Amino acid sequence: MDLELGLDTFGDVTADADGARLSHAESIRNVVEQAVLADEVGLDFFGVGEHHRDDFAISAPEVVLAAIASRTKRIHLGTAVTVLSSDDPIRVFERFATLDALSHGRAEVILGRGSFTESFPLFGLDLADYQQLFEEKLDLFADVITGNPVTWSGQLRPPLMDQSVYPPIEHGTLTTWIGVGGTPESVVRAAKYGLPLVLAIIGGDPLRFAPFVELYHRALGQFGREILPVAAHSPGHIAATDEQALEELYPHFKANRDRIGAERGWPPMTRADYEREARDGALCAGSPETVAQKIARTARGLGIARFDLKYSNGTMPHEQLMTSIRLFGREVAPRVRELLAD
C-alpha cells in the first residue's frame, strides 16, 4: 500500500537546552526551520496548528506556511487544524488560495471545530453556537471550493448571491480535509460534503478507530460518493533508542498533557500511564524501528493514505525536534514503506 508521511506541529512555545523558555517569535522562526528540514528529508506534508493562547506561538498559520513555502520545494503545506467555527469561510479560502499560488499548488487545509475554545470569546462568538457555527461555515466553504460563483444563505451571517471569490485556485481545487476527534456525526458530515477525513488519534489503541473508517466508507456510499482518503494524526518523538526517546519526551509530554488536562478535568498522567501509551497506545515514541513498526500497524489496520506525526511536544527543545524530524524522514519513512510492501 502507498502511504504518505507527514509532520504536524502546534507551534508549541519551546525551551532552550538549559530549560529557559524561548519567545513566541523565536519559536515561530524555529518552526520554519523544522519545515525546511522536513522538505529536505523527503516528507510529504507539514501541518501547522492554530491556537490563541500563551503556550502555542502560532495564531496565524497561513502566514507561517507562506514563509515555509518560500523556502521549500516539494512538501505539501497545510493546517492542523484551521478552526473554521471562529473564522470566516471566505477569508479562509482567500488565504489558502494565496498560499496555493505562492507554493505552486502545494496548499492544503484541514478544517475542524478545534478542541480549544479560546478563539470564540476572542472573536466575539457565543460558545452556545459552537455546533451551528461549524455546520453553517462548512456548508459555505464547501460551496466556495467548487470555484463557481456562490449563492448561499444561513442564519448566522448575511447571504451571498452569485458571488465570486478571489484569487481562484490555479489548477484544480483546494485540497480540503475534515479533522475529527472520533464522533460518528463528524465522520458522517465529512462524507456528506465529499471531503477526505483526518482522524486525530491522540490516545488508546489506534485500531479502535477502525469502526469510524468503516462508517465513513459506508456514508460515502450512501451519499453516492467515491471512496476518499483517510489520514491519521498521532503524537510522538524519535531518538536513536527507545530509552532515549522516552526519557527525552517524558517531562515535556507530561507537563503539556497535565496542563491541558487540568483545564478539562483529567487526572495527572503517571509514568505508568505514559509508558503504557507508548507501548500499546497512540504515542509513537521510540527508536526509528519501533516507531516504523507502530505506524505500519496503524496504516494496515485502518487503511489510511497518510500518517502525520505530531512531533512538537510542549517545551521540548528545537534541537531534539530537529533530530526527531531527521530520523523520521531518513530512517522511519523508508522503513515504514518497506514494511508495508511486504
Side-chain angles (χ1 to χ4, degrees):
M1 62 183 292
D2 293 328
L3 181 71
E4 293 186 348
L5 291 163
L7 291 168
D8 289 336
T9 176
F10 289 173
D12 308 53
V13 176
T14 58
D16 64 19
D18 297 322
R21 192 175 193 258
L22 300 184
S23 67
H24 288 73
E26 190 167 358
S27 296
I28 290 170
R29 291 191 290 269
N30 283 343
V31 167
V32 175
E33 297 305 320
Q34 291 155 19
V36 169
L37 177 59
D39 188 48
E40 290 173 353
V41 298
L43 294 171
D44 298 298
F45 176 78
F46 192 86
V48 175
E50 174 200 345
H51 295 87
H52 304 269
R53 48 186 286 149
D54 180 61
D55 42 355
F56 300 114
I58 297 174
S59 59
E62 304 92 343
V63 179
V64 178
L65 292 168
I68 293 168
S70 71
R71 295 189 52 196
T72 54
K73 292 183 169 65
R74 57 169 299 279
I75 196 166
H76 279 227
L77 305 170
T79 44
V81 299
T82 290
V83 185
L84 186 64
S85 309
S86 59
D87 211 328
D88 182 270
I90 302 297
R91 292 294 290 139
V92 171
F93 178 84
E94 289 175 339
R95 296 194 299 263
F96 275 90
T98 303
L99 175 65
D100 197 67
L102 292 171
S103 65
H104 295 273
R106 292 185 283 135
E108 302 186 10
V109 61
I110 303 175
L111 304 174
R113 292 183 293 181
S115 62
F116 295 89
T117 58
E118 67 276 357
S119 61
F120 288 80
L122 181 64
F123 300 134
L125 299 169
D126 189 341
L127 272 171
D129 296 327
Y130 181 81
Q131 182 74 12
Q132 187 179 5
L133 281 165
F134 185 71
E135 290 176 352
E136 281 205 9
K137 292 183 179 189
L138 178 59
D139 190 63
L140 174 54
F141 196 86
D143 278 357
V144 175
I145 60 175
T146 65
N148 301 317
V150 175
T151 296
W152 180 92
S153 64
Q155 296 182 4
L156 298 178
R157 63 160 290 158
L160 296 170
M161 181 64 67
D162 201 31
Q163 177 68 56
S164 295
V165 181
Y166 301 101
I169 298 296
E170 187 173 21
H171 302 294
T173 58
L174 175 66
T175 299
T176 302
W177 304 71
I178 299 292
V180 305
T183 64
E185 296 80 7
S186 297
V187 170
V188 172
R189 185 185 298 115
K192 172 186 174 182
Y193 287 103
L195 297 173
L197 185 71
V198 181
L199 295 167
I201 306 175
I202 59 174
D205 185 349
L207 300 196
R208 69 190 175 90
F209 279 75
F212 293 108
V213 177
E214 294 165 7
L215 172 62
Y216 178 62
H217 289 160
R218 283 200 312 275
L220 286 169
Q222 289 168 0
F223 287 117
R225 300 187 181 278
E226 62 184 16
I227 294 298
L228 294 169
V230 176
H233 150 115
S234 291
H237 176 62
I238 309 158
T241 66
D242 289 350
E243 293 76 14
Q244 181 183 351
L246 291 171
E247 288 305 316
E248 287 179 350
L249 176 59
Y250 179 66
H252 308 287
F253 190 85
K254 175 176 169 56
N256 191 49
R257 194 264 188 206
D258 287 354
R259 182 176 60 254
I260 295 169
E263 300 170 3
R264 302 181 182 185
W266 303 342
M269 187 183 70
T270 66
R271 180 71 189 220
D273 294 333
Y274 170 74
E275 293 183 356
R276 182 169 51 252
E277 190 62 36
R279 183 181 64 250
D280 303 320
L283 181 60
C284 295
S287 68
E289 179 65 21
T290 294
V291 172
Q293 292 283 352
K294 201 162 196 179
I295 293 172
R297 176 180 180 269
T298 298
R300 285 196 202 97
L302 299 180
I304 56 176
R306 188 172 80 204
F307 179 89
D308 294 334
L309 181 76
K310 182 190 170 288
Y311 72 93
S312 64
N313 292 285
T315 54
M316 177 171 273
H318 173 62
E319 292 75 15
Q320 291 179 351
L321 299 177
M322 293 289 273
T323 297
S324 188
I325 292 168
R326 197 172 290 112
L327 290 170
F328 189 54
R330 292 178 179 170
E331 298 189 28
V332 174
R335 179 58 176 147
V336 169
R337 293 183 175 118
E338 183 181 74
L339 289 167
L340 295 178
D342 289 343

